[in-house]
Amino acid sequence: MDLPFAENYKIKMVEPIYQSTRKQREKWIDEAHYNLFNLRSDQVFIDLLTDSGTGAMSDRQWGALMTGDESYAGSSSFHHLKDKVKEIFGFDYFLPVHQGRAAENVLFSVLVKEGQVVPGNSHFDTTKGHIEFRKAKAIDCTIDEAFDTNGGHPFKGNIDIEKLTNVLESHTKEQIPLIIVTLTCNSSGGQPVSMKNIKQIRAAADQYGIPVIFDSARFAENAWFIQNREEGYANKSIREIVAEMYQYADGMTMSSKKDGIVNIGGILAMRNENWYKQAMVFNIMYEGFNTYGGMAGRDMNALAVGLDEVTNGDYLENRIRQVHYLGNQLIDAGIPVQKPLGGHAVFVDAKSFLPRIPKEEYVAQTLAIELYLEAGVRGVEVGTLLADRDPETKQNRYPKLEFLRLAIPRRTYTNNHMDVVATGLMNIFERRNSIQSGFQIVEEAPIMRHFTVKLKQK
Ligand code: F0G
């Protein structure tokens, strides 16, 4: 008999979590105005709100914390991390920032101006926010297959080269400061971009003289999918695949809270010295002096180790297996999810799950609340609340897909926890036809409203 799969780590330190009763959760979610971001973490049993900053560091990372150099200028931890960024991604110019959106803020302060357009693959909400804040426009060029949850396209993060070319053709070079490629594409379901597509994007960008930036939050997971799904890469190492991917980029922004396996931190890196000189000024203003930016020396050390761990050994195999362990249970139970399964999360297709709820009543949010009430599991809505209102018409933007995202923190939960999540959703699926109404907004912010929105039952 084949031996079963088991995690390639053992647990050295534990953090207790508590199960609550449904009655308690009914009270807490009401007090939280039906916004899961307003819950206290101790009101949550299994927290799948995000895989960002929620991972467990290794003993090597904790060890590296102790040797962090907290010098204001010229910290050895900075140089250590800078060397690692060069080794893995190949960029000469590096600025540490406090998280991904800070990298976007600094880079876009240099590159993005009012009236411009930024094509990409389903830009993440902070990316879009930083573009729209500058009165520029994010244009989504993701392939149509990404929006068919049952279609089995292996690279649903891909950019449609025809859509991209249309944007490049119908604007002047000055109107397009950059193309952004999000690896993996979070908003379409943690879906990867193929190497072939990356090369095609580069070729189109070169034709029109436009820079290409990789949003690199989950770059290693993307490389794993290339290794496992794309012809010709099965025998290449993750390091080799990452090096090849980044040959085609002019720069990167990165939230290190995902594939850096640290709790806070970010990277901005590039080839162009002129951009770097301009970015340094904004970095000093918004983040901190250029050899620490938004990070402590110890955190830069832990990140350098995290980047090593994520690109070496069996880490990725373990990581993605756990996400798929949950996803496959849901698929086997007939629950509609984005297929094929992505890298960091399982995306439940809320519109198919709860067909009786009208789109005006926030379908994915309704399912997220149901799951919290059922099992104390916190997921997150990736749907109409997240999509915000159109900045011009002020009307709700209804995305093609309404997802409940169950994001799995790295090395944090066991497969027993995944079983609880799966059973909770199956219980709701069984009684789905009894869920007839959703929610309405009581109060919302003008941008990124999902974090603070207040809702009430319809
Ligand atoms: N880009 C992508 C693709 C992301 O997923 C995120 C964050 C960011 C940029 C911004 O990074 O949070 O460090 O400022 N995603 C988190 C999530 C919040 O839950 O998916 P940040």
Side-chain angles (χ1 to χ4, degrees), residues 58-177:
S58 67
D59 52 357
R60 283 180 60 219
Q61 287 180 290
W62 282 104
L65 283 180
M66 295 305 291
T67 53
D69 174 1
E70 305 304 341
S71 303
Y72 190 96
S75 154
S76 59
S77 302
F78 166 78
H79 287 287
H80 187 190
L81 180 56
K82 180 177 156 60
D83 292 347
K84 194 56 69 187
V85 168
K86 169 78 181 168
E87 177 190 318
I88 294 178
F89 303 105
F91 295 119
D92 284 325
Y93 299 107
F94 157 64
L95 291 169
V97 291
H98 78 274
Q99 58 185 87
R101 67 199 71 185
E104 292 162 0
N105 189 27
V106 171
L107 183 68
F108 295 176
S109 293
V110 177
L111 296 181
V112 180
K113 307 273 174 316
E114 182 171 347
Q116 292 182 321
V117 298
V118 180
N121 52 341
S122 304
H123 312 61
F124 185 65
D125 55 333
T126 60
T127 319
K128 194 193 247 172
H130 274 295
I131 292 167
E132 290 179 351
F133 179 72
R134 290 172 171 81
K135 298 195 164 52
K137 209 169 137 193
I139 302 184
D140 185 7
C141 298
T142 313
I143 55 169
D144 289 336
E145 288 91 328
F147 305 103
D148 169 11
T149 51
N150 285 315
H153 194 294
F155 290 99
K156 283 183 171 177
N158 278 359
I159 283 186
D160 182 327
I161 300 299
E162 206 177 303
K163 288 186 197 170
L164 176 66
T165 310
N166 283 342
V167 176
L168 300 180
E169 238 167 45
S170 56
H171 295 82
T172 64
K173 185 169 177 281
E174 289 66 38
Q175 285 175 307
I176 313 172

Side-chain angles (χ1 to χ4, degrees), residues 120-410:
N121 52 341
S122 304
H123 312 61
F124 185 65
D125 55 333
T126 60
T127 319
K128 194 193 247 172
H130 274 295
I131 292 167
E132 290 179 351
F133 179 72
R134 290 172 171 81
K135 298 195 164 52
K137 209 169 137 193
I139 302 184
D140 185 7
C141 298
T142 313
I143 55 169
D144 289 336
E145 288 91 328
F147 305 103
D148 169 11
T149 51
N150 285 315
H153 194 294
F155 290 99
K156 283 183 171 177
N158 278 359
I159 283 186
D160 182 327
I161 300 299
E162 206 177 303
K163 288 186 197 170
L164 176 66
T165 310
N166 283 342
V167 176
L168 300 180
E169 238 167 45
S170 56
H171 295 82
T172 64
K173 185 169 177 281
E174 289 66 38
Q175 285 175 307
I176 313 172
L178 60 113
I179 298 166
I180 191 134
V181 186
T182 307
L183 306 166
T184 56
C185 185
N186 186 356
S187 315
S188 74
Q191 296 290 321
V193 179
S194 70
M195 191 73 83
K196 183 171 169 211
N197 192 245
I198 290 175
K199 288 183 196 171
Q200 289 171 329
I201 296 163
R202 181 75 254 177
D206 283 345
Q207 201 184 334
Y208 293 86
I210 311 294
V212 178
I213 302 295
F214 288 174
D215 174 343
S216 308
R218 301 177 182 86
F219 75 95
E221 290 172 5
N222 199 94
W224 185 90
F225 283 111
I226 290 175
Q227 189 187 51
N228 284 272
R229 289 187 187 163
E230 193 163 352
E231 218 190 306
Y233 289 92
N235 295 322
K236 293 219 158 119
S237 70
I238 294 295
R239 277 292 182 103
E240 286 168 336
I241 294 169
V242 171
E244 186 178 338
M245 283 158 60
Y246 280 81
Q247 275 174 30
Y248 302 107
D250 296 289
M252 65 185 279
T253 57
M254 178 170 171
S255 167
S256 308
K257 302 169 70 174
K258 288 85 168 172
D259 275 353
I261 333 186
V262 289
N263 304 114
I264 194 76
I267 290 173
L268 173 59
M270 61 204 85
R271 286 186 217 290
N272 182 319
E273 189 183 2
N274 185 30
W275 288 358
Y276 173 66
K277 283 184 178 160
Q278 296 175 64
M280 278 200 289
V281 178
F282 290 105
N283 202 50
I284 291 171
M285 281 199 301
Y286 297 142
E287 295 293 301
F289 182 65
N290 293 318
T291 60
Y292 69 90
M295 295 180 74
R298 55 179 171 267
D299 289 336
M300 290 192 279
N301 264 11
L303 173 55
V305 177
L307 290 173
D308 254 341
E309 290 181 354
V310 85
T311 51
N312 281 319
D314 292 340
Y315 163 79
L316 282 166
E317 188 68 23
N318 272 263
R319 155 75 175 153
I320 294 177
R321 256 183 195 260
Q322 187 175 51
V323 175
H324 291 192
Y325 174 78
L326 171 63
N328 284 325
Q329 285 195 62
L330 302 183
I331 291 171
D332 291 348
I335 293 175
V337 301
Q338 172 70 298
K339 289 191 278 281
L341 296 164
H344 68 295
V346 179
F347 282 63
V348 182
D349 175 353
K351 270 200 265 190
S352 306
F353 195 116
L354 295 177
R356 288 164 187 245
I357 312 272
K359 69 178 190 307
E360 292 78 9
E361 296 180 15
Y362 307 104
V363 192
Q365 181 69 9
T366 305
L367 185 56
I369 292 164
E370 282 293 336
L371 180 60
Y372 173 68
L373 290 171
E374 177 71 26
V377 174
R378 172 159 68 171
V380 74
E381 190 252 23
V382 177
T384 308
L385 285 177
L386 182 76
D388 266 329
R389 290 177 190 272
D390 184 291
E392 276 153 32
T393 66
K394 308 287 180 225
Q395 294 301 306
N396 263 336
R397 291 190 277 212
Y398 292 105
K400 292 194 189 102
L401 294 170
E402 286 270 348
F403 285 125
L404 162 63
R405 185 185 77 169
L406 304 169
I408 319 293
R410 292 167 182 77

